[in-house]
Amino acid sequence: MTVYFPEVPKPIRYEGPDSKNPLAFKEYNAKQKVLGKTMAEHLRFAVCYWHTFVSGGADMFGMPTMKRLYAQGDNPMTIAEQTLDAAFEFFTKLGVGYWCFHDTDIVPEADTLAETNKRLDHITKLAKKKQQETGIKLLWGTCNLFAHPRFMSGAATNPSPDVFAYAATKVKKALEITKYLDGEGYVFWGGREGYETLLNTDMGRELDHLGKFLHMAVDYKKKIRFKGQFYIEPKPKEPTKHQYDFDAASCYAFLQKYDLVGDLKLNIEANHGTLAGHTFIHELEFAGANGILGSVDANRGDLLLGWDTDQFPTDLYDTALAMYTIIKYGGFKTGGLNFDAHLRRQSTDPVDLFHAHVGAMDCFARGLKIAAKMHKDKGFAKVIKQRYAGWDRGIGKQIEDGKVGFEELEAHTMKKGEPQLISGRQEMLENMLNTYIFKA
Ligand code: XLS
Ligand code: CA
Ligand code: CA
């Protein structure tokens, strides 16, 4: 079989923090136990198909730059097969357990839907065989409902019911192939479920349609007995000016209104959190605190650019606090860390894909170790417990238990007078976080 990544002849190994080998892990040791589980079990790394193997570095102003050895030839299905070979070679050499894809990543769309579905059946058969041979699993599948012109005004929120129906037909097939590949989840990302101008948009009606669409998906999931977890992925804008799944909080409000809370969790993407004006950790915390933290698209943005740059994660504060929060809410069940990230346009060589993923995996592995130490020491947990201790007794407990109202609180305040000022100790806590980053 053709080798597509000859620069990496053998699987990437853990060589420890002193290794100078750029193609070795310094922190990620898959089998090493941390808080009772292996690193691989905690982190559940996945590689995304679209950025890693399909898009080639094109941007709004320029053509693709990247060398894709497998994307040669005239027959699109031969290219699709070669891409699949390259992808599984990459997953195996990198040592990740999972992958993720959109329907249109694994095969190009044909002239008719029926023909596209045939192509999907063909390629997923090959993918299933590769999964069996390698033990690599599908973290989630998804459907591209944003690239084709038919979806220019949205999919489930399109003003035309015919487009709604077309989108449903595509999602139906995407669910079937995800189930066929034993996918552990399925993501709904509404790239154009939003609007450009309210002058031509009936927002209430569009939201109702989106609710209907997701209910149909839930019904079909039950019908075909697909056991994977459904996720919504929040993103505030890009490509549309305003997207309905703006952030974790607006998704939660939507899920509550349309009675879907038990059926969908969130797939939180770091870069989408920052585009919404939040931190990545804020989004994780909101989802965790509301019981809807499902999976993560691990990447980062660039504060100076302000669009969805989808860079590989390299910030230890982010990875340490992300893992701290994920562990706090029980760790991944069906979800994982999917590197929804792409190389910069000037990183043109196939080996650059390895550098990017190795660095990101090391950064999360180190983040995991830092988070584990923070959990073991319980330092931050103690500080927070202490800060809210007033709610465990006396008037605080009575409020939480619903035993008092405004009149009792007035009596309490008149008796106690001015509340005491208690320092939040933010700088001390930031220093404490740094001591973990320095030493863990
Ligand atoms: C785009 C999204 C997309 C989803 C899946 O910004 O991140 O890649 O993850 O459609
Ligand atoms: Ca994403
Ligand atoms: Ca993104």
Side-chain angles (χ1 to χ4, degrees):
M1 193 190 279
T2 316
V3 174
Y4 293 105
F5 298 99
E7 307 92 328
V8 183
K10 287 187 300 204
I12 307 279
R13 301 214 175 280
Y14 171 72
E15 291 184 5
D18 296 328
S19 169
K20 299 268 184 295
N21 177 0
L23 290 171
F25 294 117
K26 322 288 183 297
E27 299 288 335
Y28 179 60
N29 188 2
K31 294 210 171 89
Q32 187 183 324
K33 289 241 170 131
V34 177
L35 296 178
K37 285 202 287 189
T38 65
M39 285 193 169
E41 286 164 345
H42 273 288
L43 298 163
R44 294 169 58 90
F45 289 128
V47 168
C48 83
Y49 212 87
W50 50 104
H51 289 313
T52 310
F53 309 110
V54 181
S55 62
D59 69 14
M60 297 276 278
F61 297 93
M63 294 183 287
T65 55
M66 290 165 194
K67 296 166 200 145
R68 303 283 197 226
L69 303 179
Y70 45 82
Q72 318 289 335
D74 299 326
N75 183 336
M77 282 311 285
T78 308
I79 293 180
E81 287 175 14
Q82 288 171 182
T83 307
L84 191 76
D85 288 342
F88 275 82
E89 182 191 332
F90 184 82
F91 306 149
T92 315
K93 286 182 170 172
L94 186 62
V96 287
Y98 296 90
W99 65 301
C100 299
F101 71 89
H102 298 82
D103 52 354
T104 52
D105 307 331
I106 50 173
V107 291
E109 279 193 84
D111 291 340
T112 64
L113 205 46
E115 191 51 39
T116 304
N117 287 351
K118 264 197 218 152
R119 288 182 173 187
L120 284 169
D121 288 338
H122 172 73
I123 209 81
T124 47
K125 212 166 159 196
L126 299 181
K128 184 146 182 141
K129 194 157 166 273
K130 289 202 173 282
Q131 288 190 167
Q132 282 159 352
E133 282 163 9
T134 58
I136 290 157
K137 297 183 200 156
L138 179 64
L139 189 67
W140 49 261
T142 188
C143 190
N144 183 325
L145 301 175
F146 43 89
H148 193 278
R150 76 176 78 87
F151 297 123
M152 69 178 186
S153 309
T157 64
N158 198 289
S160 157
D162 290 337
V163 179
F164 181 104
Y166 202 105
T169 311
K170 266 174 68 77
V171 170
K172 176 176 175 289
K173 183 68 183 173
L175 287 174
E176 288 161 6
I177 58 175
T178 302
K179 176 183 177 315
Y180 173 71
L181 292 171
D182 302 312
E184 297 190 13
Y186 183 90
V187 165
F188 292 88
W189 173 66
R192 294 184 197 272
E193 309 295 23
Y195 62 85
E196 294 298 331
T197 172
L198 289 171
L199 296 175
N200 64 12
T201 303
D202 186 337
M203 188 195 285
R205 210 162 179 182
E206 290 199 353
L207 285 165
D208 287 350
H209 295 164
L210 186 56
K212 279 240 154 40
F213 191 94
L214 291 174
H215 270 288
M216 288 181 193
V218 169
D219 289 346
Y220 192 64
K221 174 188 179 204
K222 287 184 188 145
K223 180 155 191 197
I224 62 171
R225 295 201 177 84
F226 170 48
K227 298 276 178 277
Q229 173 66 49
F230 273 2
Y231 310 103
I232 291 198
E233 180 177 323
K235 185 174 182 180
K237 57 188 171 190
E238 196 195 338
T240 41
K241 170 188 156 129
H242 185 107
Q243 283 170 203
Y244 295 133
D245 304 331
F246 191 92
D247 60 0
S250 39
C251 287
Y252 189 48
F254 173 87
L255 293 176
Q256 289 181 95
K257 176 168 179 199
Y258 293 97
D259 195 21
L260 286 160
V261 173
D263 295 305
L264 289 105
K265 291 190 181 338
L266 300 187
N267 179 40
I268 299 290
E269 179 172 320
N271 199 174
H272 297 180
T274 48
L275 282 176
H278 305 304
T279 60
F280 172 31
I281 315 305
H282 167 94
E283 291 292 86
L284 293 175
E285 182 65 37
F286 183 90
N290 288 289
I292 50 167
L293 177 52
S295 199
V296 166
D297 273 3
N299 62 11
R300 74 186 152 102
D302 183 325
L303 285 178
L304 300 183
L305 294 177
W307 64 84
D308 194 16
T309 60
D310 286 336
Q311 287 168 249
F312 281 84
T314 52
D315 184 332
L316 268 186
Y317 287 96
D318 261 359
T319 59
L321 290 175
M323 290 318 298
Y324 184 75
T325 310
I326 289 162
I327 292 169
K328 182 164 89 180
Y329 290 109
F332 289 125
K333 304 282 185 305
T334 53
L337 294 169
N338 168 45
F339 293 117
D340 189 355
H342 59 86
L343 299 176
R344 296 308 89 192
R345 193 163 177 263
Q346 294 167 65
S347 302
T348 53
D349 294 348
V351 72
D352 288 313
L353 285 171
F354 280 93
H355 291 305
H357 284 86
V358 166
M361 288 163 77
D362 264 347
C363 193
F364 262 98
R366 179 87 179 150
L368 169 64
K369 289 184 215 166
I370 295 167
K373 188 90 177 59
M374 285 160 61
H375 275 295
K376 267 193 204 144
D377 290 357
K378 299 195 174 71
F380 293 101
K382 274 188 209 145
V383 168
I384 291 178
K385 187 152 181 26
Q386 179 56 34
R387 196 162 184 232
Y388 293 83
W391 296 90
D392 298 333
R393 54 178 182 262
I395 195 73
K397 186 153 175 21
Q398 286 174 319
I399 298 171
E400 281 197 351
D401 293 347
K403 299 239 166 80
V404 289
F406 272 11
E407 284 154 325
E408 290 82 359
L409 294 179
E410 180 189 51
H412 172 84
T413 303
M414 291 305 180
K415 196 168 146 213
K416 273 207 103 174
E418 189 60 31
Q420 218 188 324
L421 287 188
I422 303 169
S423 171
R425 295 267 185 274
Q426 181 169 336
E427 293 73 13
M428 185 200 82
L429 294 169
E430 285 166 349
N431 295 349
M432 189 161 123
L433 175 60
N434 271 347
T435 59
Y436 285 103
I437 305 242
F438 298 155
K439 280 199 294 193

